Amino acid sequence: MLAKPWRLFRFRSLKGRFWQGFENSQFYCNLIQNLNDPFDCKVRWKESLLRALATTSVPAERRVTLQSVLAAFEERDPLLEAGICCFSATMDNALMWSHYADAHRGVCLMYDIPADYFRNKYEHPDSDGFFFVGGSRIHYGDDAYCDWLKTGNLNKPLKGFPVENAVSRIFCSKAKAWKYEEEWRLVTSKPGVLQFEPTHLTQVGFGLLTPDAERKRLGEVAKRNNPNVLFSQAVKSRSSVFKIEYIVA
């Protein structure tokens, strides 16, 4: 049975790196130091692993696996280099438009990507050591990483690769305060570009205040890359004062 494709939404300002990535069908995986939360991706992995290993309820077989993760991390600190690309699992969040799409002057892009696409395309390190580590929704909790080490599935997302999964989980664990974002992430071994098929962009959503000139340019580029791409327009709901709805654009 084939894994369900990843449906990911990306709220974007039309400034900075946006146009390069949009025109060339690329995701840029950024340095973790550039994220907007100083706690993000700063999990104290050694402390978490030692606490998990000290938990008496952890079975002996799992303890052996956690020891192997600890040894691998001590040999190469997973926090030294990583690339992160952030998405949301929903388009229906007014705060995301304000925080990440230039107060509705930007866009929300919808992608449908086969679950194994980046794993197959970037499985082996290139000459610079760049490769795809994994993709996952964010797991929220004040001690989310340690909780996963103690009771979570060490064989997800990659069966038989607990060390790689433990690396991905570090970068996909956040405090409960961020839960409203319903975030998804792609993680790479270091900052760099992930190239994808233009047809993976399936919808372009315009904000309430996206300028007409930018809408036109967005439409031209998107149609050139994928003639079947859809367009939607955010509008103020008629049924709720603060709700957003979408119409065909």
Side-chain angles (χ1 to χ4, degrees):
M1 183 177 178
L2 294 175
K4 186 178 180 180
W6 293 343
R7 171 159 287 184
L8 307 177
F9 297 90
R10 200 160 192 221
F11 294 85
R12 297 296 308 276
S13 162
L14 304 181
K15 303 172 184 176
R17 293 180 180 270
F18 172 79
W19 287 106
Q20 177 182 347
F22 186 65
E23 292 176 348
N24 297 312
S25 300
Q26 296 174 338
F27 296 140
Y28 182 73
C29 297
N30 212 338
L31 285 164
I32 61 175
Q33 290 88 339
N34 292 337
L35 298 173
N36 62 352
D37 175 11
F39 292 97
D40 201 352
C41 298
K42 305 297 192 304
V43 170
R44 293 192 291 270
W45 54 261
K46 187 170 185 176
E47 177 184 312
S48 295
L49 278 159
L50 291 175
R51 283 194 287 118
L53 285 165
T55 303
T56 57
S57 59
V58 172
E61 183 178 354
R62 187 181 189 90
R63 198 179 302 276
V64 171
T65 302
L66 294 181
Q67 288 283 8
S68 69
V69 172
L70 178 59
F73 283 9
E74 287 182 327
E75 183 176 339
R76 185 180 185 278
D77 188 338
L79 300 184
L80 289 179
E81 285 188 315
I84 301 292
C85 192
C86 304
F87 303 82
S88 178
T90 181
M91 195 176 184
D92 301 322
N93 190 313
L95 289 177
M96 298 294 283
W97 277 106
S98 296
H99 293 170
Y100 298 106
D102 194 16
H104 275 273
R105 288 181 287 271
V107 292
C108 180
L109 305 175
M110 185 177 87
Y111 301 92
D112 287 299
I113 303 174
D116 58 354
Y117 178 79
F118 288 120
R119 168 60 54 189
N120 292 337
K121 187 176 178 67
Y122 295 96
E123 180 179 5
H124 302 292
D126 65 13
S127 58
D128 294 323
F130 178 84
F131 61 92
F132 182 69
V133 175
S136 174
R137 65 182 178 87
I138 292 293
H139 304 273
Y140 300 96
D142 294 334
D143 202 12
Y145 189 62
C146 188
D147 292 342
W148 177 78
L149 290 171
K150 290 188 288 187
T151 62
N153 189 343
L154 301 178
N155 274 311
K156 281 191 174 182
L158 300 173
K159 187 175 182 179
F161 292 89
V163 173
E164 288 81 356
N165 294 338
V167 173
S168 295
R169 195 70 177 215
I170 285 178
F171 301 114
C172 295
S173 299
K174 291 185 73 171
K176 287 181 181 178
W178 294 93
K179 191 173 182 179
Y180 75 93
E181 292 189 343
E182 296 185 52
E183 189 177 349
W184 244 88
R185 280 186 177 168
L186 302 179
V187 182
T188 53
S189 59
K190 60 196 311 180
V193 170
L194 290 173
Q195 190 80 39
F196 58 90
E197 300 300 322
T199 53
H200 291 165
L201 174 64
T202 54
Q203 186 175 156
V204 176
F206 303 117
L208 294 172
L209 303 175
T210 307
D212 289 341
E214 302 287 50
R215 286 165 52 96
K216 181 179 178 182
R217 183 181 176 187
L218 286 159
E220 290 173 349
V221 173
K223 278 290 187 182
R224 184 168 66 243
N225 286 346
N226 178 12
N228 296 317
V229 69
L230 302 176
F231 299 93
S232 61
Q233 172 65 55
V235 296
K236 293 181 179 179
S237 172
R238 294 183 178 181
S239 61
S240 176
V241 176
F242 298 114
K243 188 177 179 182
I244 294 173
E245 295 177 351
Y246 297 92
I247 60 174
V248 176

